[in-house]
Amino acid sequence: MAGAAIRMSPAEIEFLAEKELISFEPNFTYSNIYLIQGDFGPFEAGIPTSVPLWLAVNLKQRCRGRIIPPAWMNIDDLNLKKQEELENKLFTEMPSRYYIEITQLLLKNAPEDIPKADELRTLIKDIWDLRKAKLRSSIDTFIKSDATHAKLNHLTPMEINTIRAVLTETMNHINVLRSNVHTKYTGNSQDI
């Protein structure tokens, strides 16, 4: 189907998120690791280095060090982000395009490396729920407005993916209905 929107599964979006760089503090010493994505290292015990999230998780699972959470992943900053999301009618810019995926991966694989992990989990879920409700409201307003296009800034890939199928299907149905109404009033009918 030409021009069709590419739909990604949550797993595919998580795969993209795993390419994001994160700090990892190894408990070993080793020279650079040469990967398709780039060269990472050198690894020196106790000295943080930047690696893709997937590599940090892999090393963590093998007890080769600890993950250092991103700077934005702290209770104070996320409380401010939640408040900003509550107060603004429009979507606010998130600290990472993959904030939900990164948080879930880190909380699943390295909860002991995340300060106040349970509180953080709740806070991220609150932000996610706020943004989903705002998205549903925006879609409802858009569909009722009879508009043909809309602009939504600061949505993350997972948020877009969440509504893509429903929105495109709804717009297709509205298009068919408008076409049928137009045909009825202009007298142009086609045998189907």
Side-chain angles (χ1 to χ4, degrees):
M1 181 180 201
I6 297 173
R7 292 189 182 131
M8 293 192 298
S9 71
E12 290 169 318
I13 295 171
E14 184 177 293
F15 174 78
L16 294 175
E18 288 176 337
K19 294 180 181 184
E20 294 289 298
L21 297 179
I22 193 163
S23 290
F24 183 79
E25 185 180 303
N27 58 13
F28 65 96
T29 299
Y30 190 76
S31 62
N32 286 357
I33 297 177
Y34 303 98
L35 303 170
I36 293 173
Q37 188 177 345
D39 303 342
F40 300 98
F43 296 89
E44 294 182 37
I47 307 291
T49 187
S50 188
V51 297
L53 180 57
W54 68 266
L55 180 57
V57 167
N58 181 280
L59 290 170
K60 175 67 180 177
Q61 289 171 338
R62 296 185 309 152
C63 300
R64 303 298 292 172
R66 72 179 190 92
I67 294 174
I68 300 170
W72 57 263
M73 194 179 283
N74 69 73
I75 301 300
D76 293 336
D77 287 350
L78 290 172
N79 270 322
L80 289 173
K81 182 55 68 179
K82 178 182 173 182
Q83 192 60 39
E84 185 181 353
E85 198 67 49
L86 277 168
E87 293 171 357
N88 288 313
K89 182 179 177 183
L90 302 175
F91 292 93
T92 61
E93 187 172 2
M94 296 308 293
S96 169
R97 292 184 62 197
Y98 300 107
Y99 77 97
I100 193 78
E101 298 87 351
I102 291 170
T103 303
Q104 287 175 341
L105 281 166
L106 293 182
L107 289 173
K108 177 182 175 187
N109 295 290
E112 63 280 357
D113 294 347
I114 312 296
K116 301 181 182 178
D118 290 334
E119 191 176 341
L120 182 83
R121 178 180 284 114
T122 302
L123 194 50
I124 288 290
K125 175 142 179 26
D126 289 348
I127 292 170
W128 172 255
D129 289 344
L130 281 169
R131 291 175 66 88
K132 276 185 10 185
K134 194 181 287 189
L135 190 54
R136 282 192 299 270
S137 174
S138 297
I139 290 170
D140 187 51
T141 302
F142 169 69
I143 290 172
K144 290 177 181 176
S145 74
D146 211 25
T148 56
H149 66 280
K151 182 177 180 180
L152 292 172
N153 291 334
H154 307 303
L155 289 180
T156 66
M158 188 64 80
E159 292 163 348
I160 292 169
N161 192 59
T162 302
I163 55 115
R164 180 174 300 189
V166 173
L167 184 58
T168 54
E169 191 65 29
T170 301
M171 294 308 294
N172 287 338
H173 286 298
I174 289 172
N175 234 2
V176 168
L177 291 172
R178 286 182 181 154
S179 175
N180 288 341
V181 168
H182 177 69
T183 302
K184 178 180 176 187
Y185 287 113
T186 60
N188 299 331
S189 62
Q190 298 174 352
D191 293 328
I192 298 178

